[in-house]
């Protein structure tokens, strides 16, 4: 693999470009800006559009494509909408019921529903510790996603209810469970985006921290080349190689 040979670079957001729900570090901002000038850059995350722009400074927004909500909301570099899927009220109802069962399984007491469950428009998401919990607590909760994977595995009846409603669940970010439209994961939406742009898959690479089995980046494996990392520092060491 020659990093400098890739024309189109796709990135996850949390724990890849930035720490969880945190602003990109100043030294990383400079490298990101250089990369946006030299290559096509695409940010692909389960987070919503506002969350992306809270983590990547607005001054950098004209430089990259945005595939938010697992790619179910897509915008070009200037913010023009390319497509947007929508979760129906019935899908949200079923998902909330299932999520309540999963939270009880974990012994979670929900004190503020808005802090523990989000409807982002094109997908739904839940966090057993809260989306804005202390970062150290979030990183310590389930670093390898094993706790969330085990939770889903021991609740097959609930997953069947989601499936019947056209929804599937997967671990994402540091503590999140993403509820996405069935079959519309990162891999599917990256495939759709590459076709929309007329790019060649061989010219593309995806950088992410959850390429392992069951991770929310796993669906990208086999779609385009992938580069696994564990921290933003590793990501930007790779960016430097691309820019060489």
């Amino acid at each position: 693999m020659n990093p400098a040979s890739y024309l189109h670079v796709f990135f996850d957001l949390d724990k890849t470009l930035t720490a969880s729900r945190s602003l990109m570090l100043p030294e990383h901002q400079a490298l990101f800006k250089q990369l946006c000038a030299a290559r096509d850059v695409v940010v692909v995350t389960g987070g919503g559009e506002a969350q992306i722009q809270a983590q990547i400074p607005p001054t950098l927004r004209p430089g990259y494509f945005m595939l938010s909500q697992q790619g179910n909301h897509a915008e070009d570099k200037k913010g023009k909408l390319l497509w947007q899927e929508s979760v129906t009220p019935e899908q949200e109802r079923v998902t909330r019921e299932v999520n309540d069962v999963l939270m009880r399984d974990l012994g979670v007491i929900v004190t503020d529903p808005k802090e523990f469950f989000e409807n982002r428009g094109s997908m739904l998401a839940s966090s057993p510790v809260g989306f804005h919990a202390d970062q150290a607590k979030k990183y310590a909760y389930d670093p390898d996603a094993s706790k969330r994977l085990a939770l889903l595995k021991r609740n097959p009846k609930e997953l069947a209810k989601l499936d019947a409603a056209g929804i599937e669940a997967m671990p994402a970010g540091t503590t999140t469970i993403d509820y996405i439209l069935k079959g519309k994961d990162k891999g599917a939406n990256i495939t759709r985006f590459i076709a929309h742009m007329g790019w060649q898959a061989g010219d593309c690479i995806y950088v992410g921290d959850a390429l392992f089995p069951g991770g929310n980046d796993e669906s990208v494996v086999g779609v385009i080349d992938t580069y696994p990392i564990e921290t933003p520092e590793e990501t930007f060491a790779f960016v430097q190689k691309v820019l060489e």
Side-chain angles (χ1 to χ4, degrees), residues 10-18 20-21 42-53 55-56 65-74 85 87 117-127 131 138 148 168-181 184-187 189-190 206-210 215-220:
F10 294 71
F11 294 98
D12 178 40
L13 182 61
D14 276 356
K15 298 200 298 183
T16 300
L17 286 173
T18 77
S20 177
R21 293 206 171 207
V42 189
V43 177
V44 193
T45 176
E49 304 75 61
Q51 190 60 48
I52 295 173
Q53 294 181 78
Q55 293 178 229
I56 302 175
F65 295 92
M66 180 190 293
L67 293 184
S68 58
Q69 304 186 64
Q70 298 279 355
N72 289 300
H73 179 109
E85 306 296 340
V87 174
F117 191 94
E118 293 179 345
N119 182 338
R120 297 174 180 169
S122 298
M123 59 165 276
L124 307 156
S126 172
S127 171
F131 292 109
K138 290 174 71 174
R148 285 166 288 167
E168 56 184 291
M170 65 183 69
T174 49
T175 67
T176 306
I177 298 171
D178 278 359
Y179 297 102
I180 69 170
L181 296 167
K184 296 185 181 295
D185 52 26
K186 286 186 178 182
N189 282 310
I190 286 175
Y206 180 90
V207 182
D209 69 293
N216 77 315
D217 296 328
E218 182 190 14
S219 61
V220 185

Side-chain angles (χ1 to χ4, degrees), residues 79-98:
K80 178 184 176 182
L81 184 66
L82 302 179
W83 66 75
Q84 178 177 307
E85 306 296 340
S86 297
V87 174
T88 68
E90 175 62 14
Q91 287 173 323
E92 179 177 2
R93 184 192 66 77
V94 172
T95 301
R96 284 184 179 274
E97 289 182 356
V98 168

Side-chain angles (χ1 to χ4, degrees), residues 119 133 142 240:
N119 182 338
D142 189 20
Q240 287 180 315

